[in-house]
Amino acid sequence: MLGRRGTLPVLVGPPLVWLALLFVAPLILIVAFSLRPEAGVVSAGEPWNPSLVQYGKVVGTPAFLRLLGVSALMALGVAVVATMLAYPVAYFLAFRARARATLFLALLLVPFAASYLLRIMAWKLLLGPAGAVNSLLSAAGLIGEPLDLLLYSRGAVVITLIYVWIPFASLPILASLQRIERSQLEAAADLGAGPWTRFLRVTLPLSLPGALAAFFMVFIPTVGEYVTPTLIGGTGGIMYGNLIQDFFGRAGNWPLGAALAMVMLILTVIGVLVALRAVDLRRVAP
Amino acid sequence: MTTRRTHRLRHGDSAIGVGRTRLPLGTFYVAVLALLYLPITVLFVFSFSANSRLSFPIEGFTFDQYAGVLADPSLLGAARNSLVVAAAAATAATVLGTLVAIATMRFRFRGRTALLGLAVLPLIVPFAVMGVAIFLLLVTLGIPKSLLTVALGHTVIALPYATLIVLARISGLDPALEDAAMDLGASYPMALRRVVLPLMRTALIASWLTSFVVSFDEVALAVFLVGGEPTFPVMLYGRLRFGGQLPELIAMAVLLMLITVGLTLLALRLRRSPA
Amino acid sequence: MPARHRIRTLFALSAATILLLAACKGAEPQNLLVLEWSGYEAEDFWTDFKSDNADAPVTFEFGISDADILAKMEAGSQADLFHFYSGWQQFYVDGGLVQEIDTSKLTNWDKVPDSFKEQGQVNGKQYFLPWDWGFTSILYNTDEVAEVTSWDALFNVDYAGHVSMWNDGPAAVTVSAYVNGWDETGITADQLAQIEQAWIAQKPLNAFYWSGEYEDLCPAVEDGTVWVAYAWQGCYAQALYDGIPVAYATPSEGRNSWIGFYGISSKTDSYELALKFLDAKLADLTMNNVVTQFYYGAANQDVMNAIEDEVLIEAFGINDPTILEHTNFTPPVTAEQRSAWTEMWARVQAE
């Protein structure tokens, strides 16, 4: 019979092999590519002398680093707001939806099965100068010129990203709310805690690990986001991820794209580690 | 003088966190849902319109787009490919994510944090970079590209989501539960299966669905790993390069979403077990 | 259902799916593999080959950009044929990825105009078969914009907020070269710095840089967001069909033209069949489908001459042959130029 300790290799083995083969090994190839001195799409097999030329370009171009900073700030804002807005959704699912929680949860996620590109095109139809929103507003005499606030700007990107992330951010929060035992809240109530006190003293602290997980789940990929800025960012709303995407896509300059990606990866990992140290998950998690 | 009042929780007091302070949480949920479904409603309406473009006004009602979809084997094939790839990737990612979550929350071992970090790290690698990276690996190893390679790639990018969601749930489960089961004679894996997994049902479903949608609409990685058979997003981006294809693509997208809704509801119904 | 059954089902399900997936790629008795842009795999675009060679299966591998297609060829794609656009010819020849086309075996070769044939030649050899083509010029809204006679309309501050440039470095260099009267293939570092400054200054004039003709450019032209745009003729044709008041400029510097080519891989073991495929690609029915379904030009001149649709006649400037005579074909550029230009554009974007 398999005891606790004997189970560990079974648990760790498959993910480790999977990640080593499909994540670590490819990542090493990307690092190798970022050390290629010559630009352009290069055949994988050719020998070359490793150099830091590409990293020099990244670090030596203030506009790139500035954009990375801006993207990180945008991601921070998106992650904070999306997590805060996701909290009530998760709370609703955990405590009010009851038996239908799974159904209500599924309803939140299923729309993402419809192409994001097409959904954004539909939004543009509603928000564009000839769209439903502007038609309504101008028919009502509220506006003279069509509003273009919600399209083609950095603000539009941030708003859209928050909107897109709320359902996903609610998932880890929901998971952590589900761990709260009724007895814990009853004990608090018995000790005279009012509803808000119970929330602030019991529910919130117990759900913080989930909220943190949600925050990082939103923040980390948003730093490298490119789809939303491409579709609605306009020229001013472009993010760092767009540069990477372009170099791996149309521009076909993998070495520079790889260096840009590695710089982002390293700085983000450092940022997250520093943040985790400051928060100290272990003090939050009981 | 103040009197200390005891806030008794009545049975059926659903807002156990906030008590009687009834915040309109349901309304908020519905509002979020409405915003999510608004663009889809637009697409749904247009999929039955005679419009050749996504623009107002709506010109007449027709089933032509759906007839066009059904008469287009390559489009249907791409849709099927996407469903298969997403289901496979979601299943694999959820299984692996659950393993990582259990291992890191239930055991102390060297490299525990490293394993968790590694499972979450793909979040920071843009999909296109991941796609090129795995593409280079396939070339190096001489492995031909196929739907399988897309599914493998999608497993990697879905794994962080699966891990984080399951982790958030398991971190709140009392390890004493497994101990109790083992005291009753269960092996550790059986204790996990019988006691821990059922308690994580919602989290597992959330993880699977999230992984599914991460894969289902993913194109940046897929284009580098797809072989002769494209997934729907790959075909969508390709065909949008040409005019006149949009209405059919919208109908296909709507159809795919409806299929996903149907399958999800079916799965939930089948899996509904007495609490 | 007890949990362990669910888990078993889960495992069984995943195992089954993976087996299914493996089976999907199993049987492939492929005779021809074409590295293609998605959309062209539809039978309409190789229907002549299909009807003559019903027993020869054609399979497709997909690319999303010229860089992507080159990368896949360089990485050792098994494709017998590949499809790419102007400006990338030299890379395939230099990389030894392509072999000469024996045009004597192509029955439809005579239908291709000489100017197109020349574009497919490198070092005096016919390495590439021109197939689809189109224009690039300024598409503008005639209600909002006075007649456009030069590429510099993209830099006109009167249209601030309503301009849209394609999100592409080499395209930006081409436009600047036209506006300044520079030789596009001989841009100096100094000129490139000027180009960079010009596009940084132009940046706020754009509503957005477009990335997909029908995804973001066309809808925005039609809804009035964009008045002046760098655009291909397909979007012009569509806007005309939809009754939008638009015109497609014939700038004094000339329009730009691009051509799509097919090349035969140097590694193919089905050279003869590949030739047949290319010949059938040029046949009337196949080429006509390209024109009517994609609004792309055909390298088969008979098909172009037979166009009766008013909008397409206008879109391809068929009534005015001087347009095509004065056009500037996208020239091949070196890898160094290409990377310098794309890096320049990344800096413009990041600014």
Side-chain angles (χ1 to χ4, degrees):
Chain A
M1 200 174 79
L2 215 46
R4 265 179 67 94
R5 217 57 216 179
T7 313
L8 186 57
V10 183
L11 294 172
V12 174
L16 209 55
V17 171
W18 201 285
L19 282 164
L21 216 61
L22 288 161
F23 181 63
V24 178
L27 202 62
I28 290 171
L29 287 173
I30 284 293
V31 173
F33 240 87
S34 72
L35 298 174
R36 280 177 182 270
E38 76 277 33
V41 178
V42 204
S43 36
E46 275 171 36
W48 83 99
N49 295 322
S51 109
L52 291 174
V53 169
Q54 308 299 345
Y55 289 93
K57 283 183 195 162
V58 179
V59 179
T61 310
F64 289 169
L65 296 179
R66 211 162 40 232
L67 191 60
L68 180 56
V70 169
S71 302
L73 281 179
M74 288 168 79
L76 188 66
V78 168
V80 168
V81 178
T83 306
M84 279 164 52
L85 292 178
Y87 199 94
V89 173
Y91 195 95
F92 169 79
L93 292 174
F95 297 131
R96 300 248 177 111
R98 299 167 157 238
R100 279 164 306 190
T102 318
L103 171 69
F104 285 180
L105 171 98
L107 284 177
L108 275 179
L109 296 180
V110 169
F112 291 86
S115 159
Y116 186 50
L117 172 68
L118 293 180
R119 282 186 289 138
I120 290 286
M121 285 173 80
W123 269 122
K124 284 187 185 170
L125 183 66
L126 297 175
L127 298 174
V133 173
N134 276 310
S135 308
L136 274 178
L137 290 178
S138 64
L142 290 174
I143 50 168
E145 281 282 292
L147 287 176
D148 45 10
L149 202 67
L150 285 167
L151 287 176
Y152 310 128
S153 68
R154 185 153 275 152
V157 175
V158 170
I159 291 171
T160 310
L161 283 173
I162 291 169
Y163 156 78
V164 167
W165 275 115
I166 288 175
F168 296 105
S170 71
L171 301 177
I173 304 176
L174 166 65
S176 65
L177 285 173
Q178 283 178 328
R179 65 193 252 193
I180 296 170
E181 305 282 337
R182 197 178 172 79
S183 57
Q184 293 170 306
L185 290 154
E186 277 170 351
D190 287 343
L191 292 172
W196 281 105
T197 316
R198 285 204 302 272
F199 175 74
L200 291 174
R201 290 291 187 73
V202 182
T203 313
L204 189 61
L206 285 172
S207 62
L208 266 188
L212 274 177
F215 171 84
F216 287 115
M217 198 173 96
V218 177
F219 173 77
I220 298 174
T222 304
V223 178
E225 169 67 20
Y226 77 95
V227 182
T228 309
T230 303
L231 296 174
I232 56 165
T235 44
I238 281 167
M239 294 177 74
Y240 187 79
N242 290 89
L243 303 178
I244 298 175
Q245 179 65 22
D246 278 1
F247 282 122
F248 278 100
R250 194 181 305 114
N253 186 341
W254 292 1
L256 183 51
L260 283 164
M262 289 314 298
V263 168
M264 177 175 81
L265 189 146
I266 291 164
L267 291 180
T268 309
V269 167
I270 291 174
V272 168
L273 288 179
V274 168
L276 282 179
R277 182 131 305 175
V279 173
D280 192 0
L281 257 185
R282 243 156 287 171
R283 211 178 301 154
V284 178
Chain B
M1 272 203 102
T2 52
T3 25
R4 275 188 61 153
R5 213 154 54 93
T6 306
H7 296 263
R8 279 263 153 235
L9 285 172
R10 280 167 314 192
H11 189 67
D13 192 351
S14 58
I16 56 172
V18 188
R20 273 154 292 179
T21 318
R22 275 257 170 207
L23 295 176
L25 293 177
T27 319
F28 184 69
Y29 169 81
V30 172
V32 170
L33 214 56
L35 279 176
L36 285 173
Y37 281 88
L38 183 61
I40 289 172
T41 312
V42 172
L43 294 176
F44 186 78
V45 169
F46 271 89
S47 73
F48 288 103
S49 80
N51 295 39
S52 56
R53 325 257 174 272
L54 207 52
S55 65
F56 290 118
I58 289 167
E59 303 153 359
F61 177 88
T62 173
F63 286 111
D64 285 0
Q65 325 298 3
Y66 288 95
V69 167
L70 295 178
D72 189 337
S74 59
L75 198 55
L76 290 173
R80 188 212 58 180
N81 293 343
S82 278
L83 286 169
V84 173
V85 165
T91 307
T94 302
V95 170
L96 293 171
T98 307
L99 294 181
V100 172
I102 294 175
T104 50
M105 293 313 288
R106 285 296 186 259
F107 293 90
R108 306 268 149 196
F109 56 94
R110 273 169 64 95
R112 173 173 160 270
T113 324
L115 175 66
L116 185 57
L118 199 59
V120 179
L121 198 59
L123 276 185
I124 185 59
V125 183
F127 292 170
V129 180
M130 209 56 237
V132 167
I134 299 178
F135 170 76
L136 290 171
L137 182 77
L138 296 179
V139 170
T140 312
L141 300 179
I143 300 169
K145 290 174 293 171
S146 66
L147 290 178
L148 178 64
T149 52
V150 179
L152 289 173
H154 282 172
T155 308
V156 177
I157 59 176
L159 183 59
Y161 297 96
T163 305
L164 284 173
I165 292 166
V166 178
L167 192 74
R169 179 70 186 107
I170 205 174
S171 71
L173 289 176
D174 193 342
L177 288 168
E178 297 122 73
D179 295 340
M182 288 174 76
D183 287 346
L184 294 173
S187 69
Y188 188 68
M190 192 175 289
L192 288 177
R193 272 191 245 149
R194 289 231 176 141
V195 180
V196 178
L197 290 183
L199 285 169
M200 301 198 302
R201 181 170 174 270
T202 316
L204 290 176
I205 291 172
S207 152
W208 195 90
L209 276 175
T210 303
S211 306
F212 182 89
V213 296
V214 164
S215 161
F216 195 68
D217 191 31
E218 199 289 320
V219 65
L221 174 141
V223 290
F224 288 105
L225 300 185
V226 77
E229 292 176 281
T231 58
F232 177 65
V234 170
M235 179 165 278
L236 175 79
Y237 274 83
R239 290 203 178 182
L240 276 179
R241 289 176 50 248
F242 312 108
Q245 303 252 338
L246 187 59
E248 213 176 87
L249 293 167
I250 290 175
M252 186 76 249
V254 170
L255 213 53
L256 274 176
M257 212 213 72
L258 293 177
I259 290 172
T260 310
V261 173
L263 289 178
T264 308
L265 293 181
L266 195 71
L268 291 182
R269 172 144 265 166
L270 286 180
R271 283 168 160 233
R272 178 157 297 166
S273 49
Chain C
M1 220 193 309
R4 76 194 132 94
H5 286 170
R6 280 213 295 274
I7 297 305
R8 245 173 237 159
T9 323
L10 208 68
F11 273 112
L13 213 90
S14 56
T17 355
I18 286 167
L19 280 177
L20 190 77
L21 280 162
C24 281
K25 64 164 194 108
E28 281 181 87
Q30 48 188 244
N31 270 350
L32 271 187
L33 177 63
V34 186
L35 178 51
E36 187 55 283
W37 299 68
S38 143
Y40 288 113
E41 80 286 0
E43 249 175 63
D44 283 350
F45 306 111
W46 50 288
T47 178
D48 293 276
F49 182 80
K50 180 82 183 170
S51 47
D52 295 346
N53 304 274
D55 56 333
V58 179
T59 47
F60 295 89
E61 182 183 0
F62 298 95
I64 39 151
S65 69
D66 282 313
D68 182 34
I69 286 171
L70 178 62
K72 283 173 176 162
M73 287 306 293
E74 286 192 324
S77 165
Q78 297 300 304
D80 301 295
L81 293 147
F82 53 95
H83 185 191
F84 68 99
Y85 288 86
S86 320
W88 295 75
Q89 294 93 312
Q90 194 73 43
F91 299 111
Y92 291 96
V93 177
D94 291 348
L97 302 169
V98 66
Q99 57 180 303
E100 204 177 343
I101 295 173
D102 183 354
T103 54
S104 67
K105 295 195 174 142
L106 302 179
T107 59
N108 292 309
W109 187 241
D110 294 341
K111 299 175 184 171
V112 180
D114 288 343
S115 57
F116 286 176
K117 288 178 183 169
E118 282 163 23
Q119 294 294 320
Q121 294 165 3
V122 176
N123 310 333
K125 289 182 180 168
Q126 193 75 43
Y127 281 109
F128 304 104
L129 178 119
W131 188 67
D132 51 337
W133 65 272
F135 287 120
T136 310
S137 187
I138 309 285
L139 176 65
Y140 60 100
N141 186 315
T142 49
D143 283 354
E144 307 285 355
V145 175
E147 192 188 355
V148 169
T149 55
S150 163
W151 285 90
D152 65 13
L154 290 173
F155 297 86
N156 191 328
V157 290
D158 293 347
Y159 313 134
H162 298 283
V163 178
S164 190
M165 175 61 192
W166 185 29
N167 188 7
D168 187 74
V173 171
T174 301
V175 170
S176 290
Y178 293 166
V179 170
N180 293 306
W182 293 335
D183 171 16
E184 194 179 344
T185 59
I187 297 290
T188 64
D190 197 34
Q191 287 170 336
L192 193 61
Q194 288 182 50
I195 291 173
E196 183 172 337
Q197 289 313 311
W199 284 104
I200 288 173
Q202 188 266 359
K203 199 173 170 184
L205 303 186
N206 293 279
F208 56 92
Y209 295 134
W210 62 270
S211 53
E213 200 178 11
Y214 296 101
E215 288 137 74
D216 49 12
L217 174 62
C218 260
V221 168
E222 300 207 357
D223 75 13
T225 302
V226 169
W227 299 345
V228 180
Y230 174 106
W232 302 322
Q233 82 293 332
C235 184
Y236 175 47
Q238 173 160 318
L240 285 180
Y241 280 126
D242 291 344
I244 309 294
V246 288
Y248 199 49
T250 306
S252 55
E253 303 94 347
R255 286 185 189 177
N256 166 271
S257 291
W258 43 268
I259 298 178
F261 298 102
Y262 281 94
I264 302 179
S265 167
S266 52
K267 289 187 304 195
T268 183
D269 45 16
S270 326
Y271 182 75
E272 294 299 322
L273 194 62
L275 277 181
K276 271 192 194 173
F277 184 81
L278 290 185
D279 194 25
K281 269 280 193 183
L282 286 175
D284 295 358
L285 189 54
T286 301
M287 289 256 68
N288 195 51
N289 286 336
V290 177
V291 175
T292 55
Q293 293 189 33
F294 288 171
Y295 318 144
Y296 276 18
N300 177 331
Q301 194 59 36
D302 291 359
V303 168
M304 296 310 286
N305 293 339
I307 294 177
E308 286 175 0
D309 183 292
E310 290 294 330
V311 165
L312 292 177
I313 287 176
E314 172 57 31
F316 292 111
I318 288 171
N319 288 338
D320 184 0
T322 60
I323 294 179
L324 199 49
E325 281 159 25
H326 286 122
T327 193
N328 308 290
F329 282 104
T330 302
V333 293
T334 65
E336 288 71 31
Q337 287 169 321
R338 182 164 288 282
S339 57
W341 298 357
T342 51
E343 282 165 25
M344 177 280 290
W345 189 247
R347 290 192 296 272
V348 172
Q349 285 192 77
E351 200 51 60

